[in-house]
Amino acid sequence: MNERMVQLDVLRYDPQVDDEPHFQHYEVPCKEEWVVLDALNAIKESIDPTLNYRWSCHMAVCGSCGMMINGEPRLSCHAFLRDFEGVIRVEPLANFPIERDLVTVADDFIDKLKRVKPYLIPGETRSIDEGEYIQTPAQLMKYRHFSMCINCMLCYAACPQYALQPLFLGPAAITLAHRYNLDSRDGGRDERQQVIATNEGVWECSFVGACSEVCPKAVDPAGALQQVKVASTLDWFREHLLPGDTK
Amino acid sequence: MSRRPFVRPVSRTRWYFKHPRYLRYMSREVTCVFIGAFTLLLLCAVERLSEGQAAYESFLAAIGGPWSALGLSIVLIFVVHNAISWFNVTPKALPVQIGEGFLPGRFIVAAHYAVWILISLAVLFFAGVL
Ligand code: SF4
Ligand code: FES
C-alpha cells in the first residue's frame, strides 16, 4: 500500500494557557486512500496525543467531524488526502466558538434545532387501534431529501449571514422545520411558522446559496429556505388580502 | 475545568473576499444598484411623457448621446446578469413534483427564459419595432 508524508497545519487552542488560537505544523506518514480524519488519528496516536477533535462514525453519517479544510467546511472523514496538494490547513468549523483545538461549541445550533420543533406534531390524533399514519411514496418524496440532514453544521460554517447575525436560525434548523411542514402526517406548521417566518428566521436569509454547495448530504437547505419564503409570503397574502380572514 | 471558548472575529466589511462563492453572490447583489438606477430613469421618462411630446423628445435627446449609450449598455449587462443568476436558481424555490419524482430543474429555468423572450417580443411589437 502506498504511503507518503502528508503535511498539515492544524489550528490549536488550549483554553487553559492560550489567549488565542495558533497553527501547529505536523508531518505524518499517510496511506494513499486515507482521509483527513485518518491523518488526524495518526497524529494523535503517534505524534501528539493532546490534539482534540470530534468524530465517531468515519462514514459521513454521524455529522460530528466537520472542520474547515483549506478554508472549506468539510466532513474530515469524507475529505480524501489524495485530493489535496501541499500543506493541508485544518481549522475548527467557522462561525462557532472554539472550545479546544478543533472542537467547537455547538450549543447555539442545538438550541435552534429545538426551537423549530423538529418532530411530528400529528394533524389528527389516532388511537393505536386505528393503526399507523399512512403515507404514500409521493407524499414521502415531497420532503425526503430534506430529511437526510445529519446535523453536521457545515451549512452554518458556510453561511455569511449566520457569521454576521448569530441570531439567525440558520439553514439546517429552518430546513428541518420545512421537512416536517411538508409531511402529510404533520399538523404543526402554525407553531413552527411563529419561529421560522420571522426576521431572525427565514427573512435573514439572502440566498447566498453557500449552504447547499457545502452540504455533504445534498439536503439543499438553500432550496428549503426559498420555499419557506414563498409559502410565508402566500400566508401573508391570504391573511391580508383575502376577505373574511381576520387572523 | 473552566471553559473559555474563543470566538473568532468576523470582518463586517471584507467577509466576501474570503471565498469566491461570496464574491459571486455579491456580484449578483450589486446588480440591484444598476436596476434601481434604470428604474428611476424609466420613472423620469414616464414623467416627461406626461408633460407632452416636446418634453419627452427633449428627454430622449438628452439621453441619446454616446456616453449614455455606454452607461445604458453597462446597465443592460448588469440587468442580464441579474436575470440569468435568478432564473438559474428558480428550481430551488419553485420545485414541481410529478408523482414520486421532480420535474428536472432545467425545464423550470427554460420556462423562465421562454416567458422572458415572449414578453420582450410583445414589448417590441407594441413599440412598433417588430
Ligand atoms: S443541511 Fe447539510 S450541511 Fe447543514 S447540517 Fe444538514 S447535512 Fe449538514
Ligand atoms: S465521523 Fe461521522 S460524519 Fe465524519
Side-chain angles (χ1 to χ4, degrees):
Chain A
M1 207 110 12
N2 279 347
E3 244 184 41
R4 68 176 168 110
M5 291 304 277
V6 169
Q7 302 187 52
L8 300 107
D9 276 342
V10 180
L11 199 71
R12 304 290 313 266
Y13 173 66
D14 180 347
Q16 250 85 57
V17 291
D18 295 331
D19 281 332
E20 54 179 46
H22 57 93
F23 280 102
Q24 186 163 344
H25 188 77
Y26 295 103
E27 260 186 76
V28 59
C30 291
K31 297 200 172 113
E32 192 49 37
E33 71 276 14
W34 276 9
V35 290
V36 170
L37 178 60
D38 295 320
L40 294 174
N41 284 340
I43 293 171
K44 190 164 175 91
E45 273 162 30
S46 57
I47 302 175
D48 185 351
T50 68
L51 183 61
N52 285 278
Y53 49 95
R54 285 196 186 103
W55 71 285
S56 176
C57 70
H58 199 289
M59 50 193 280
V61 167
C62 73
S64 55
C65 71
M67 301 168 191
M68 306 302 288
I69 300 177
N70 282 353
E72 190 76 15
R74 303 276 303 264
L75 296 179
S76 56
C77 69
H78 213 47
F80 284 90
L81 292 173
R82 59 173 172 261
D83 296 334
F84 296 94
E85 278 171 23
V87 186
I88 304 172
R89 205 171 73 251
V90 185
E91 298 162 82
L93 270 189
N95 302 340
F96 292 96
I98 307 176
E99 184 82 61
R100 175 185 289 263
D101 295 344
L102 300 171
V103 177
T104 53
V105 183
D107 302 11
D108 182 51
F109 173 62
I110 307 292
D111 284 348
K112 284 169 177 167
L113 269 188
K114 281 191 210 145
R115 274 167 54 199
V116 303
K117 308 191 183 201
Y119 39 79
L120 272 184
I121 302 171
E124 41 149 352
T125 33
R126 290 165 76 97
S127 67
I128 292 183
D129 299 338
E130 288 172 283
E132 58 275 75
Y133 293 86
I134 304 287
Q135 188 164 61
T136 66
Q139 286 170 329
L140 167 69
M141 289 315 287
K142 212 170 168 192
Y143 66 82
R144 204 181 88 102
H145 58 297
F146 295 136
S147 72
M148 294 295 166
C149 174
I150 58 172
N151 298 342
C152 65
M153 309 188 291
L154 298 196
C155 47
Y156 285 73
C159 176
Q161 296 296 0
Y162 180 59
L164 297 167
Q165 172 51 281
L167 291 175
F168 177 33
L169 266 181
I174 298 175
T175 302
L176 210 52
H178 188 52
R179 169 253 176 276
Y180 285 99
N181 287 346
L182 288 179
D183 195 314
S184 58
R185 302 162 295 179
D186 184 87
R189 183 169 181 268
D190 285 349
E191 289 174 48
R192 291 189 202 98
Q193 283 297 100
Q194 315 270 336
V195 186
I196 67 171
T198 59
N199 286 346
E200 285 159 11
V202 75
W203 298 113
E204 189 67 51
C205 167
S206 59
F207 203 176
V208 180
C211 49
S212 291
E213 287 179 38
V214 302
C215 175
K217 291 285 163 185
V219 171
D220 192 13
L225 269 69
Q226 306 330 301
Q227 291 166 31
V228 170
K229 287 181 196 170
V230 172
S232 306
T233 308
L234 291 178
D235 284 350
W236 188 91
F237 278 119
R238 239 173 262 127
E239 270 170 38
H240 292 84
L241 299 183
L242 287 191
D245 197 342
T246 50
K247 200 160 78 172
Chain B
M1 218 191 306
S2 65
R3 290 178 64 183
R4 203 158 57 90
F6 182 86
V7 177
R8 286 162 284 181
V10 177
S11 164
R12 304 219 138 247
T13 47
R14 291 186 316 268
W15 60 268
Y16 40 86
F17 291 118
K18 280 187 84 177
H19 200 287
R21 68 167 68 95
Y22 299 155
L23 277 176
R24 212 186 327 132
Y25 159 75
M26 283 309 255
S27 84
R28 185 191 79 201
E29 294 296 283
V30 294
T31 57
C32 72
V33 175
F34 294 86
I35 290 171
F38 186 66
T39 310
L40 280 180
L41 190 73
L42 274 184
L43 285 176
C44 291
V46 171
E47 217 231 328
R48 299 308 295 272
L49 189 61
S50 71
E51 290 165 9
Q53 189 176 359
Y56 186 62
E57 270 166 12
S58 77
F59 172 78
L60 283 186
I63 62 160
W67 284 111
S68 43
L70 180 71
L72 287 172
S73 309
I74 294 173
V75 168
L76 181 68
I77 291 170
F78 278 98
V79 170
V80 170
H81 175 51
N82 178 286
I84 290 176
S85 52
W86 279 112
F87 282 4
N88 289 346
V89 292
T90 45
K92 284 190 186 298
L94 304 165
V96 178
Q97 189 180 3
I98 303 172
E100 290 170 33
F102 284 89
L103 185 70
R106 59 179 189 279
F107 290 111
I108 299 167
V109 177
H112 281 80
Y113 280 104
V115 172
W116 188 15
I117 291 169
L118 282 179
I119 292 178
S120 301
L121 288 176
V123 168
L124 290 176
F125 175 77
F126 287 117
V129 180
L130 287 184

